[in-house]
Structures are given as structure tokens and as C-alpha cells.
Amino acid sequence: MKKYLAVIVLLLCTSLSAQVQFEARVSKTTLALNERLRIDFMMNVDGDNFVQPSFEGFRIIAGPSQQVSQSWVNGRSSFEKAYSYFLMPNQKGTLVIKSAAIEYNGQIYRTAPIKINVTAAQEQPRDPNDQQITTDENLYLVAEVSKDNVYVNEPTTVVYKLYFANIGISNLGEASKPKYNDFWSQNIEIKQLVAEEGLFKGQNYRYIVLKKVVLYPQKSGKLKIEPLSLTVDVELPTNRRDMFGRMLLTQTSKRVSAGSKTITVKPLPEAGKPDNFSGAVGNFDFKVTPSKNNLKNGESLDLVVSVTGKGNLKLFSLPKPEVPNALEMYDAVHSEDISTPLSGMAGKASDSYTIVPQYKGNYPVKPMQFSYFDLGSGTYKTITSPEIMINVLEGATPIDTTANENKNKIADIEHFKTIKLKTELTDIDKNDFFGSNLFLGLLFAPFLLLPLIVLFKSKKEARAGDISGNRIRMNNRLAKKYLSEAKKQIKNKELFYIALEKAMHNFLKAKLHIETSEMTKDNIQELLLSRYANQETVNEFIALTENCEVARYAPSSSVTIQQDFDKAVFIISELEKQIA
């Protein structure tokens, strides 16, 4: 009997447990990024120890709120208990609300996970299923585009404004940032948010400028700008008043979106496009300026190629000058002085080339051309710089290969004049050349020389490809040249200190592998000390280079000049030993 009673109790408990229902219900499974989601965790029993899910990817706007209802119908009772939340998504994509849990009669019950698809924000969403969404028309986020039909690399601007009326706002936070795919973008800093008065939809509103962005489209077609979304804490007036008659306010959080924008971008016309066009769009002036035209032996000049004006100055490359082989031109040092207001980039971009002559003579720098697309006229324009003549007054004379060839021809003629017309017979009984030591030596000589030729060629190619090493060797040669020049000019104070300063700078270029633009006092000291140079020697080096500029104009004796030269030789020698 006890066995049957136990079976009945077990079946009854199983039947009761099978009737427990615990599930999660959502107001929708697809919603926009700036919409709210309501989720209810429903149970038909009075469960204990409710454990909410983590709600990853969501922010809890309100909740949990608890509702309990119980009724009797035709002698049968029904029970329902619910925990409710209002959520706001933080990101787009497929988000999963994990299981919630309750405990009932010693057992744990869990809800099934729910997938929610979050799409892009809508400009002014309306959700009839969400009764807590405010329906006022007092808060708008707007993206104002200056031009929605432009050429490639023509600037356009986007200004984000938050309009509000008859409400209080606070705690503005970016829920999603706008994306400018296929645009070059520049944010304009707004130091302080200031509320201003303005018309919107024909009515007076207050507004705040939140963000200003200058855009340069990089390809043609219809380019989409993803929207900016904000979360805003809002204070709304109610119909209730306090005991003093003042209107009561209610606080809520609202997400607003500017909506996506589409800009139509036209390609630059192919008709009339110059071969040297590098993508410049705007209105520019082009110049090529040498620092000097007349050079003495050992001097160098800076050739500055610059473009000034208004346009996409950061988005194209400047043309490169062509110089004769007798002029050695180093890599350009690029510099920019460009501002980016709402109207677009304006200023100056330049490349500075250092040129060192090798021989005495007059050398032309060919005219250079710069082409750009003029937005005002809708046509391409080309500016041509004049030819620049560089006069090297002193130095070695280049070798005249033509004169050498003529000289060789005359020598050959003179050589053949010694051939006698009278025939002289020789003995035919002599050793055969074939098989002789000379024959074998000449036969195998090319094979013996081949490895040496291959080794020499590989070393020559490696040396030619070693740009950094060639530059270091050139700087070493320049340092020695300038020290030699300084010694020659020891009686001419100004020229002596110019040559001495250049020698020391070229020594640093060779040893530290740096450019002229990196030669600051702090950088030189840091690099030398990192290469295990002595602190005292480094200080003496820097002091001497600084003294060169002052000594050119300060009174000094021949004894002082000789001492500075000896000191430079000593410092360079010491650094050669110390630098690792």
C-alpha cells in the first residue's frame, strides 16, 4: 500500500511541476537603435529568488517593476506574476537577451534566450507598442549639410544641431558616432556648448551646435553618412502642480538621431585632364624658389617647391624637380601651414630640396608644371614655373669625354705611323703557340676572373642600392670637405664659421642617420648619449655649434679662430671613438 501511495505522490508532484510556466515576452524583436524595448518575464506561480539577465548590449531605462494578478473563474483559480523592464540598445546588430531564473518548490526554472535585431537609428521613431515613449515635438537632432552635390575632393560640411523648446535638457551622450566612409574628414573643435535662438520648422527654438565636420569625398557615387545618435536627459512639464502652484516636472531619458545623409559625388571630368594632374582641387598658386642662384665651392642651396591657396592641400603630392647630374639633390623635407575652417582647407604646402653641386659651371633647372581642377570655372588649369639657372662659381671642372676621345684617335694614328713598309723575314721554326703556357693561361684566365667579377658586381649593386649608406658616405665627405674649407678660410672669419658649422652638421648626419629638420639641441644630445658618447664631449659639441652662429658677427682674433678649428677637430675625433 505504501508503494502505491509513493507512486501517486510522485505523479502528482510531476503533474504540478509540468504546469509551471516561466517565459520572457518582448514588445518587438526588431527595433531601431533609438527605440525602446519592453520585456516582461511572466510566471503562473509565485516563484522566489528572481534573477534578471545581464542585458548585454542594452541599457536599462526603467525597471524592474512587478505586477501580480490572481482571479477565480468557475471555481478555478489563476495566478500571474510579471517583472517588467524598458531597455534601450547601445549598438546595432543581433543582440541576445539571456535567460532569467526563478526558484519554485526547490527547483530552478529559466526562460529561453531571445534574439533582438537592432537596425540603424530612425530620425523620429514612433512605437505604438511602447506606451512610455514621449510624443512631444520639442526635441530634434538635425544634421545640416552645406552641399549634397559635389565633385571628388570638393569640400562639404556637416553641422549637427540639437533643437529644443519648452523643455530642459542635460547629460548629452553619444549613443552612436557618425561614420564617414570614403570621405577624408576633419573635426572642428567646439570648446563650449552655447544655446542660441533660431527658427526651425517655422517656429522659435533654442539650439546647440554639437559637432562640425569638414568632408572631402574620395570617390564618386552616392556616399552615405551614418547618423549621429544621442541620449538626452529631458525634463518635461506635467499638468500637476505643487502646494505653491508651481508646475511639477518629470524626468526621462530620450534617444534622438539625426538620420543618415546621402551626398552625390561627381567624378572629375576626363576632358582636358593634364597628364601631370595629381588630384589637386581648388584654387592655387604655384612657385619654385631657390635660396640662392650663385654658389661657391662647398656651398649648397635649398630649392623650395610650394603651393598656396584654398583646396585639398593635404590630399595631393607636389611635383619633383629635375636637375642635371652635376647637381646632387637630396630627398625633400615636407612642411605644411594649413588651417581647416568650415569653408575648407587653406594655407601652404611645400617641399624643400637640398642641392649640392659637384662641379663648376652653369646648370639649368627645368621649368616645372602644376595642374589643378578649378571649381570656380569647372576646368583644369596648369601653372608653369620659369627655368632656374644655378651658377657654380668655384669647384672642380667636369671631365670632357669628347676631348679624350679625339686625343685617343690621334694617339692611334701616331702609333700606326711606326709600322715599317720594308718586309723582314723571321724564322718559321719556333715553338707552337697552342699548348704553350701562355695559351693555357689566356684560356683559363676568364674562368679564374669570373668569381671576382661576380663579387665586384654584387658589391657594386649593394653599394648602389644602399641609399642610407650612400647618404652617410656623402655626409662624411661633406664633413671633411667643410673642415678643409674651414681651414682654407681661417683668415676669413664669417666664411670660416659657416664652413665649420656645416662640417659638424654633416658629421652628425653621417653618424646619427638624421636629417637637417631633426637637428635640435635636445634631439642631438639625446641621440649622442644613447650612442654612448661622453656627456662632456656632447656638451662641448653643442656649445661649439651654437658658438659658430654668434662668432660670425662677434669680434674675434686669429688665435680664437685657430682654437675653434682645433677644438672642432678634437671633438669630431673624440665622437668618432665614442659613438657605438
Side-chain angles (χ1 to χ4, degrees), residues 286-290 292-293 301 303-304 321-324 327 355 362-369 383-391:
F286 174 68
K287 290 183 179 180
V288 180
T289 309
K292 60 180 73 174
N293 292 91
L301 66 88
L303 188 67
V304 180
E322 296 181 10
V323 299
L327 302 178
I355 297 178
N362 300 326
Y363 303 100
V365 177
K366 296 180 180 180
M368 299 174 60
Q369 289 187 333
I383 303 175
T384 303
S385 67
E387 181 180 83
I388 297 172
M389 184 63 69
I390 298 176
N391 305 315

PDB file of all heavy atoms in Angstrom, residues 286-290 292-293 301 303-304 321-324 327 355 362-369 383-391:
ATOM      1  N   PHE A 286      51.373  78.460 -57.589  1.00  0.00           N
ATOM      2  CA  PHE A 286      52.496  77.515 -57.582  1.00  0.00           C
ATOM      3  C   PHE A 286      53.797  78.277 -57.810  1.00  0.00           C
ATOM      4  O   PHE A 286      53.884  79.118 -58.711  1.00  0.00           O
ATOM      5  CB  PHE A 286      52.291  76.471 -58.677  1.00  0.00           C
ATOM      6  CG  PHE A 286      53.443  75.527 -58.857  1.00  0.00           C
ATOM      7  CD1 PHE A 286      53.767  74.597 -57.880  1.00  0.00           C
ATOM      8  CD2 PHE A 286      54.212  75.554 -60.011  1.00  0.00           C
ATOM      9  CE1 PHE A 286      54.826  73.731 -58.039  1.00  0.00           C
ATOM     10  CE2 PHE A 286      55.277  74.691 -60.191  1.00  0.00           C
ATOM     11  CZ  PHE A 286      55.578  73.771 -59.198  1.00  0.00           C
ATOM     12  N   LYS A 287      54.826  77.988 -56.979  1.00  0.00           N
ATOM     13  CA  LYS A 287      56.106  78.664 -57.098  1.00  0.00           C
ATOM     14  C   LYS A 287      57.244  77.682 -56.848  1.00  0.00           C
ATOM     15  O   LYS A 287      57.111  76.749 -56.043  1.00  0.00           O
ATOM     16  CB  LYS A 287      56.216  79.827 -56.099  1.00  0.00           C
ATOM     17  CG  LYS A 287      55.320  81.016 -56.406  1.00  0.00           C
ATOM     18  CD  LYS A 287      55.556  82.139 -55.402  1.00  0.00           C
ATOM     19  CE  LYS A 287      54.666  83.346 -55.712  1.00  0.00           C
ATOM     20  NZ  LYS A 287      54.874  84.447 -54.739  1.00  0.00           N
ATOM     21  N   VAL A 288      58.367  77.936 -57.552  1.00  0.00           N
ATOM     22  CA  VAL A 288      59.620  77.208 -57.305  1.00  0.00           C
ATOM     23  C   VAL A 288      60.681  78.264 -57.005  1.00  0.00           C
ATOM     24  O   VAL A 288      60.987  79.102 -57.861  1.00  0.00           O
ATOM     25  CB  VAL A 288      60.027  76.359 -58.521  1.00  0.00           C
ATOM     26  CG1 VAL A 288      61.321  75.616 -58.229  1.00  0.00           C
ATOM     27  CG2 VAL A 288      58.921  75.377 -58.889  1.00  0.00           C
ATOM     28  N   THR A 289      61.224  78.246 -55.789  1.00  0.00           N
ATOM     29  CA  THR A 289      62.105  79.325 -55.335  1.00  0.00           C
ATOM     30  C   THR A 289      63.422  78.768 -54.830  1.00  0.00           C
ATOM     31  O   THR A 289      63.435  77.955 -53.892  1.00  0.00           O
ATOM     32  CB  THR A 289      61.422  80.122 -54.207  1.00  0.00           C
ATOM     33  OG1 THR A 289      60.116  80.520 -54.612  1.00  0.00           O
ATOM     34  CG2 THR A 289      62.245  81.349 -53.848  1.00  0.00           C
ATOM     35  N   PRO A 290      64.570  79.175 -55.431  1.00  0.00           N
ATOM     36  CA  PRO A 290      65.875  78.770 -54.888  1.00  0.00           C
ATOM     37  C   PRO A 290      66.314  79.741 -53.794  1.00  0.00           C
ATOM     38  O   PRO A 290      66.017  80.937 -53.837  1.00  0.00           O
ATOM     39  CB  PRO A 290      66.793  78.841 -56.107  1.00  0.00           C
ATOM     40  CG  PRO A 290      66.186  79.923 -56.948  1.00  0.00           C
ATOM     41  CD  PRO A 290      64.702  79.900 -56.714  1.00  0.00           C
ATOM     42  N   LYS A 292      69.360  80.590 -53.318  1.00  0.00           N
ATOM     43  CA  LYS A 292      70.386  81.413 -53.965  1.00  0.00           C
ATOM     44  C   LYS A 292      70.634  80.847 -55.354  1.00  0.00           C
ATOM     45  O   LYS A 292      70.343  79.677 -55.637  1.00  0.00           O
ATOM     46  CB  LYS A 292      71.671  81.427 -53.143  1.00  0.00           C
ATOM     47  CG  LYS A 292      72.281  80.042 -52.935  1.00  0.00           C
ATOM     48  CD  LYS A 292      73.562  80.089 -52.123  1.00  0.00           C
ATOM     49  CE  LYS A 292      73.270  80.364 -50.656  1.00  0.00           C
ATOM     50  NZ  LYS A 292      74.509  80.262 -49.836  1.00  0.00           N
ATOM     51  N   ASN A 293      71.169  81.666 -56.233  1.00  0.00           N
ATOM     52  CA  ASN A 293      71.475  81.233 -57.598  1.00  0.00           C
ATOM     53  C   ASN A 293      72.970  81.076 -57.854  1.00  0.00           C
ATOM     54  O   ASN A 293      73.374  80.339 -58.741  1.00  0.00           O
ATOM     55  CB  ASN A 293      70.902  82.232 -58.618  1.00  0.00           C
ATOM     56  CG  ASN A 293      69.387  82.216 -58.639  1.00  0.00           C
ATOM     57  OD1 ASN A 293      68.740  82.970 -57.924  1.00  0.00           O
ATOM     58  ND2 ASN A 293      68.811  81.345 -59.441  1.00  0.00           N
ATOM     59  N   LEU A 301      72.353  74.836 -51.751  1.00  0.00           N
ATOM     60  CA  LEU A 301      71.171  75.698 -51.818  1.00  0.00           C
ATOM     61  C   LEU A 301      69.935  74.870 -51.517  1.00  0.00           C
ATOM     62  O   LEU A 301      69.941  73.634 -51.642  1.00  0.00           O
ATOM     63  CB  LEU A 301      71.047  76.384 -53.182  1.00  0.00           C
ATOM     64  CG  LEU A 301      70.774  75.516 -54.423  1.00  0.00           C
ATOM     65  CD1 LEU A 301      69.279  75.321 -54.644  1.00  0.00           C
ATOM     66  CD2 LEU A 301      71.378  76.157 -55.659  1.00  0.00           C
ATOM     67  N   LEU A 303      66.046  74.365 -52.686  1.00  0.00           N
ATOM     68  CA  LEU A 303      65.061  74.633 -53.741  1.00  0.00           C
ATOM     69  C   LEU A 303      63.687  74.300 -53.172  1.00  0.00           C
ATOM     70  O   LEU A 303      63.396  73.146 -52.841  1.00  0.00           O
ATOM     71  CB  LEU A 303      65.358  73.775 -54.980  1.00  0.00           C
ATOM     72  CG  LEU A 303      64.532  74.101 -56.219  1.00  0.00           C
ATOM     73  CD1 LEU A 303      64.885  75.475 -56.760  1.00  0.00           C
ATOM     74  CD2 LEU A 303      64.738  73.042 -57.298  1.00  0.00           C
ATOM     75  N   VAL A 304      62.836  75.323 -53.005  1.00  0.00           N
ATOM     76  CA  VAL A 304      61.531  75.168 -52.348  1.00  0.00           C
ATOM     77  C   VAL A 304      60.440  75.143 -53.411  1.00  0.00           C
ATOM     78  O   VAL A 304      60.282  76.096 -54.182  1.00  0.00           O
ATOM     79  CB  VAL A 304      61.269  76.302 -51.346  1.00  0.00           C
ATOM     80  CG1 VAL A 304      59.911  76.115 -50.681  1.00  0.00           C
ATOM     81  CG2 VAL A 304      62.373  76.343 -50.294  1.00  0.00           C
ATOM     82  N   PRO A 321      61.353  68.335 -58.843  1.00  0.00           N
ATOM     83  CA  PRO A 321      62.219  68.980 -59.838  1.00  0.00           C
ATOM     84  C   PRO A 321      63.188  67.998 -60.482  1.00  0.00           C
ATOM     85  O   PRO A 321      63.544  66.967 -59.903  1.00  0.00           O
ATOM     86  CB  PRO A 321      62.963  70.041 -59.023  1.00  0.00           C
ATOM     87  CG  PRO A 321      62.915  69.543 -57.620  1.00  0.00           C
ATOM     88  CD  PRO A 321      61.645  68.777 -57.471  1.00  0.00           C
ATOM     89  N   GLU A 322      63.615  68.335 -61.706  1.00  0.00           N
ATOM     90  CA  GLU A 322      64.638  67.578 -62.415  1.00  0.00           C
ATOM     91  C   GLU A 322      65.884  68.459 -62.525  1.00  0.00           C
ATOM     92  O   GLU A 322      65.809  69.580 -63.018  1.00  0.00           O
ATOM     93  CB  GLU A 322      64.151  67.174 -63.809  1.00  0.00           C
ATOM     94  CG  GLU A 322      62.966  66.223 -63.784  1.00  0.00           C
ATOM     95  CD  GLU A 322      62.537  65.826 -65.189  1.00  0.00           C
ATOM     96  OE1 GLU A 322      63.278  66.141 -66.144  1.00  0.00           O
ATOM     97  OE2 GLU A 322      61.460  65.230 -65.322  1.00  0.00           O
ATOM     98  N   VAL A 323      67.018  67.933 -62.068  1.00  0.00           N
ATOM     99  CA  VAL A 323      68.257  68.711 -62.075  1.00  0.00           C
ATOM    100  C   VAL A 323      69.326  67.937 -62.840  1.00  0.00           C
ATOM    101  O   VAL A 323      69.252  66.705 -62.959  1.00  0.00           O
ATOM    102  CB  VAL A 323      68.741  69.001 -60.641  1.00  0.00           C
ATOM    103  CG1 VAL A 323      67.710  69.801 -59.876  1.00  0.00           C
ATOM    104  CG2 VAL A 323      69.036  67.696 -59.888  1.00  0.00           C
ATOM    105  N   PRO A 324      70.329  68.622 -63.384  1.00  0.00           N
ATOM    106  CA  PRO A 324      71.425  67.924 -64.091  1.00  0.00           C
ATOM    107  C   PRO A 324      72.180  66.990 -63.157  1.00  0.00           C
ATOM    108  O   PRO A 324      72.145  67.118 -61.922  1.00  0.00           O
ATOM    109  CB  PRO A 324      72.306  69.080 -64.572  1.00  0.00           C
ATOM    110  CG  PRO A 324      71.416  70.278 -64.577  1.00  0.00           C
ATOM    111  CD  PRO A 324      70.443  70.088 -63.469  1.00  0.00           C
ATOM    112  N   LEU A 327      74.476  68.142 -60.285  1.00  0.00           N
ATOM    113  CA  LEU A 327      73.895  68.637 -59.033  1.00  0.00           C
ATOM    114  C   LEU A 327      73.315  67.458 -58.271  1.00  0.00           C
ATOM    115  O   LEU A 327      72.473  66.726 -58.799  1.00  0.00           O
ATOM    116  CB  LEU A 327      72.799  69.669 -59.317  1.00  0.00           C
ATOM    117  CG  LEU A 327      73.212  70.903 -60.125  1.00  0.00           C
ATOM    118  CD1 LEU A 327      72.009  71.795 -60.357  1.00  0.00           C
ATOM    119  CD2 LEU A 327      74.322  71.671 -59.422  1.00  0.00           C
ATOM    120  N   ILE A 355      70.319  70.937 -52.488  1.00  0.00           N
ATOM    121  CA  ILE A 355      71.090  70.628 -53.693  1.00  0.00           C
ATOM    122  C   ILE A 355      72.550  71.000 -53.452  1.00  0.00           C
ATOM    123  O   ILE A 355      72.852  72.121 -53.013  1.00  0.00           O
ATOM    124  CB  ILE A 355      70.523  71.386 -54.909  1.00  0.00           C
ATOM    125  CG1 ILE A 355      69.082  70.914 -55.195  1.00  0.00           C
ATOM    126  CG2 ILE A 355      71.404  71.198 -56.131  1.00  0.00           C
ATOM    127  CD1 ILE A 355      68.424  71.637 -56.341  1.00  0.00           C
ATOM    128  N   ASN A 362      77.503  76.311 -65.110  1.00  0.00           N
ATOM    129  CA  ASN A 362      76.138  76.836 -65.070  1.00  0.00           C
ATOM    130  C   ASN A 362      75.163  75.704 -65.386  1.00  0.00           C
ATOM    131  O   ASN A 362      75.288  75.043 -66.422  1.00  0.00           O
ATOM    132  CB  ASN A 362      75.971  77.970 -66.094  1.00  0.00           C
ATOM    133  CG  ASN A 362      76.911  79.123 -65.817  1.00  0.00           C
ATOM    134  OD1 ASN A 362      77.208  79.423 -64.656  1.00  0.00           O
ATOM    135  ND2 ASN A 362      77.388  79.782 -66.860  1.00  0.00           N
ATOM    136  N   TYR A 363      74.181  75.493 -64.479  1.00  0.00           N
ATOM    137  CA  TYR A 363      73.295  74.350 -64.612  1.00  0.00           C
ATOM    138  C   TYR A 363      71.834  74.823 -64.538  1.00  0.00           C
ATOM    139  O   TYR A 363      71.438  75.479 -63.568  1.00  0.00           O
ATOM    140  CB  TYR A 363      73.564  73.327 -63.510  1.00  0.00           C
ATOM    141  CG  TYR A 363      74.994  72.855 -63.504  1.00  0.00           C
ATOM    142  CD1 TYR A 363      75.910  73.378 -62.588  1.00  0.00           C
ATOM    143  CD2 TYR A 363      75.428  71.923 -64.422  1.00  0.00           C
ATOM    144  CE1 TYR A 363      77.231  72.958 -62.580  1.00  0.00           C
ATOM    145  CE2 TYR A 363      76.753  71.496 -64.423  1.00  0.00           C
ATOM    146  CZ  TYR A 363      77.649  72.003 -63.507  1.00  0.00           C
ATOM    147  OH  TYR A 363      78.936  71.588 -63.506  1.00  0.00           O
ATOM    148  N   PRO A 364      71.018  74.464 -65.542  1.00  0.00           N
ATOM    149  CA  PRO A 364      69.601  74.876 -65.523  1.00  0.00           C
ATOM    150  C   PRO A 364      68.725  73.854 -64.795  1.00  0.00           C
ATOM    151  O   PRO A 364      68.959  72.651 -64.889  1.00  0.00           O
ATOM    152  CB  PRO A 364      69.247  74.935 -67.015  1.00  0.00           C
ATOM    153  CG  PRO A 364      70.120  73.885 -67.638  1.00  0.00           C
ATOM    154  CD  PRO A 364      71.393  73.859 -66.840  1.00  0.00           C
ATOM    155  N   VAL A 365      67.737  74.349 -64.064  1.00  0.00           N
ATOM    156  CA  VAL A 365      66.670  73.509 -63.504  1.00  0.00           C
ATOM    157  C   VAL A 365      65.453  73.714 -64.398  1.00  0.00           C
ATOM    158  O   VAL A 365      64.953  74.837 -64.536  1.00  0.00           O
ATOM    159  CB  VAL A 365      66.352  73.889 -62.044  1.00  0.00           C
ATOM    160  CG1 VAL A 365      65.193  73.051 -61.516  1.00  0.00           C
ATOM    161  CG2 VAL A 365      67.580  73.710 -61.170  1.00  0.00           C
ATOM    162  N   LYS A 366      64.999  72.627 -65.005  1.00  0.00           N
ATOM    163  CA  LYS A 366      63.930  72.722 -65.994  1.00  0.00           C
ATOM    164  C   LYS A 366      62.661  73.328 -65.395  1.00  0.00           C
ATOM    165  O   LYS A 366      62.397  73.175 -64.192  1.00  0.00           O
ATOM    166  CB  LYS A 366      63.608  71.345 -66.565  1.00  0.00           C
ATOM    167  CG  LYS A 366      64.757  70.714 -67.339  1.00  0.00           C
ATOM    168  CD  LYS A 366      64.348  69.354 -67.870  1.00  0.00           C
ATOM    169  CE  LYS A 366      65.488  68.709 -68.657  1.00  0.00           C
ATOM    170  NZ  LYS A 366      65.104  67.372 -69.173  1.00  0.00           N
ATOM    171  N   PRO A 367      61.853  74.016 -66.222  1.00  0.00           N
ATOM    172  CA  PRO A 367      60.555  74.526 -65.744  1.00  0.00           C
ATOM    173  C   PRO A 367      59.674  73.388 -65.233  1.00  0.00           C
ATOM    174  O   PRO A 367      59.680  72.285 -65.776  1.00  0.00           O
ATOM    175  CB  PRO A 367      59.954  75.178 -66.997  1.00  0.00           C
ATOM    176  CG  PRO A 367      61.118  75.488 -67.871  1.00  0.00           C
ATOM    177  CD  PRO A 367      62.125  74.411 -67.622  1.00  0.00           C
ATOM    178  N   MET A 368      58.930  73.662 -64.162  1.00  0.00           N
ATOM    179  CA  MET A 368      58.041  72.672 -63.559  1.00  0.00           C
ATOM    180  C   MET A 368      56.592  73.085 -63.771  1.00  0.00           C
ATOM    181  O   MET A 368      56.282  74.286 -63.846  1.00  0.00           O
ATOM    182  CB  MET A 368      58.348  72.520 -62.066  1.00  0.00           C
ATOM    183  CG  MET A 368      59.757  72.055 -61.772  1.00  0.00           C
ATOM    184  SD  MET A 368      60.152  72.059 -60.001  1.00  0.00           S
ATOM    185  CE  MET A 368      58.911  70.923 -59.392  1.00  0.00           C
ATOM    186  N   GLN A 369      55.706  72.085 -63.841  1.00  0.00           N
ATOM    187  CA  GLN A 369      54.282  72.349 -64.058  1.00  0.00           C
ATOM    188  C   GLN A 369      53.461  71.770 -62.918  1.00  0.00           C
ATOM    189  O   GLN A 369      53.754  70.674 -62.408  1.00  0.00           O
ATOM    190  CB  GLN A 369      53.814  71.751 -65.383  1.00  0.00           C
ATOM    191  CG  GLN A 369      54.350  72.474 -66.613  1.00  0.00           C
ATOM    192  CD  GLN A 369      53.729  71.948 -67.892  1.00  0.00           C
ATOM    193  OE1 GLN A 369      53.314  70.802 -67.981  1.00  0.00           O
ATOM    194  NE2 GLN A 369      53.668  72.806 -68.908  1.00  0.00           N
ATOM    195  N   ILE A 383      49.913  75.713 -64.092  1.00  0.00           N
ATOM    196  CA  ILE A 383      50.860  76.797 -63.814  1.00  0.00           C
ATOM    197  C   ILE A 383      52.255  76.266 -64.095  1.00  0.00           C
ATOM    198  O   ILE A 383      52.636  75.194 -63.617  1.00  0.00           O
ATOM    199  CB  ILE A 383      50.750  77.281 -62.358  1.00  0.00           C
ATOM    200  CG1 ILE A 383      49.308  77.726 -62.046  1.00  0.00           C
ATOM    201  CG2 ILE A 383      51.727  78.417 -62.092  1.00  0.00           C
ATOM    202  CD1 ILE A 383      49.092  78.101 -60.592  1.00  0.00           C
ATOM    203  N   THR A 384      53.045  77.015 -64.873  1.00  0.00           N
ATOM    204  CA  THR A 384      54.408  76.613 -65.220  1.00  0.00           C
ATOM    205  C   THR A 384      55.400  77.587 -64.585  1.00  0.00           C
ATOM    206  O   THR A 384      55.272  78.802 -64.729  1.00  0.00           O
ATOM    207  CB  THR A 384      54.595  76.606 -66.741  1.00  0.00           C
ATOM    208  OG1 THR A 384      53.628  75.731 -67.334  1.00  0.00           O
ATOM    209  CG2 THR A 384      55.988  76.115 -67.103  1.00  0.00           C
ATOM    210  N   SER A 385      56.369  77.038 -63.877  1.00  0.00           N
ATOM    211  CA  SER A 385      57.397  77.874 -63.244  1.00  0.00           C
ATOM    212  C   SER A 385      58.482  78.201 -64.267  1.00  0.00           C
ATOM    213  O   SER A 385      58.706  77.439 -65.216  1.00  0.00           O
ATOM    214  CB  SER A 385      58.013  77.151 -62.052  1.00  0.00           C
ATOM    215  OG  SER A 385      58.746  76.022 -62.482  1.00  0.00           O
ATOM    216  N   PRO A 386      59.194  79.318 -64.114  1.00  0.00           N
ATOM    217  CA  PRO A 386      60.278  79.649 -65.052  1.00  0.00           C
ATOM    218  C   PRO A 386      61.501  78.764 -64.826  1.00  0.00           C
ATOM    219  O   PRO A 386      61.659  78.150 -63.768  1.00  0.00           O
ATOM    220  CB  PRO A 386      60.589  81.107 -64.720  1.00  0.00           C
ATOM    221  CG  PRO A 386      60.158  81.269 -63.295  1.00  0.00           C
ATOM    222  CD  PRO A 386      58.976  80.367 -63.101  1.00  0.00           C
ATOM    223  N   GLU A 387      62.358  78.703 -65.842  1.00  0.00           N
ATOM    224  CA  GLU A 387      63.612  77.962 -65.709  1.00  0.00           C
ATOM    225  C   GLU A 387      64.532  78.686 -64.717  1.00  0.00           C
ATOM    226  O   GLU A 387      64.608  79.913 -64.701  1.00  0.00           O
ATOM    227  CB  GLU A 387      64.299  77.856 -67.069  1.00  0.00           C
ATOM    228  CG  GLU A 387      65.603  77.066 -67.025  1.00  0.00           C
ATOM    229  CD  GLU A 387      66.252  76.983 -68.388  1.00  0.00           C
ATOM    230  OE1 GLU A 387      66.963  77.946 -68.762  1.00  0.00           O
ATOM    231  OE2 GLU A 387      66.036  75.977 -69.079  1.00  0.00           O
ATOM    232  N   ILE A 388      65.216  77.907 -63.899  1.00  0.00           N
ATOM    233  CA  ILE A 388      66.114  78.464 -62.882  1.00  0.00           C
ATOM    234  C   ILE A 388      67.545  78.091 -63.247  1.00  0.00           C
ATOM    235  O   ILE A 388      67.844  76.908 -63.498  1.00  0.00           O
ATOM    236  CB  ILE A 388      65.749  77.942 -61.485  1.00  0.00           C
ATOM    237  CG1 ILE A 388      64.331  78.396 -61.105  1.00  0.00           C
ATOM    238  CG2 ILE A 388      66.755  78.413 -60.448  1.00  0.00           C
ATOM    239  CD1 ILE A 388      63.827  77.775 -59.827  1.00  0.00           C
ATOM    240  N   MET A 389      68.432  79.073 -63.293  1.00  0.00           N
ATOM    241  CA  MET A 389      69.833  78.837 -63.621  1.00  0.00           C
ATOM    242  C   MET A 389      70.669  78.903 -62.343  1.00  0.00           C
ATOM    243  O   MET A 389      70.615  79.889 -61.607  1.00  0.00           O
ATOM    244  CB  MET A 389      70.339  79.875 -64.621  1.00  0.00           C
ATOM    245  CG  MET A 389      71.759  79.627 -65.087  1.00  0.00           C
ATOM    246  SD  MET A 389      71.934  78.060 -65.995  1.00  0.00           S
ATOM    247  CE  MET A 389      71.007  78.471 -67.499  1.00  0.00           C
ATOM    248  N   ILE A 390      71.415  77.847 -62.096  1.00  0.00           N
ATOM    249  CA  ILE A 390      72.282  77.778 -60.918  1.00  0.00           C
ATOM    250  C   ILE A 390      73.721  77.912 -61.388  1.00  0.00           C
ATOM    251  O   ILE A 390      74.194  77.111 -62.209  1.00  0.00           O
ATOM    252  CB  ILE A 390      72.078  76.460 -60.161  1.00  0.00           C
ATOM    253  CG1 ILE A 390      70.628  76.370 -59.645  1.00  0.00           C
ATOM    254  CG2 ILE A 390      73.063  76.343 -59.002  1.00  0.00           C
ATOM    255  CD1 ILE A 390      70.300  75.068 -58.974  1.00  0.00           C
ATOM    256  N   ASN A 391      74.410  78.922 -60.868  1.00  0.00           N
ATOM    257  CA  ASN A 391      75.785  79.215 -61.268  1.00  0.00           C
ATOM    258  C   ASN A 391      76.740  78.781 -60.167  1.00  0.00           C
ATOM    259  O   ASN A 391      76.706  79.319 -59.052  1.00  0.00           O
ATOM    260  CB  ASN A 391      75.955  80.706 -61.549  1.00  0.00           C
ATOM    261  CG  ASN A 391      74.951  81.199 -62.582  1.00  0.00           C
ATOM    262  OD1 ASN A 391      74.741  80.560 -63.599  1.00  0.00           O
ATOM    263  ND2 ASN A 391      74.331  82.353 -62.301  1.00  0.00           N
TER     264      ASN A 391
END
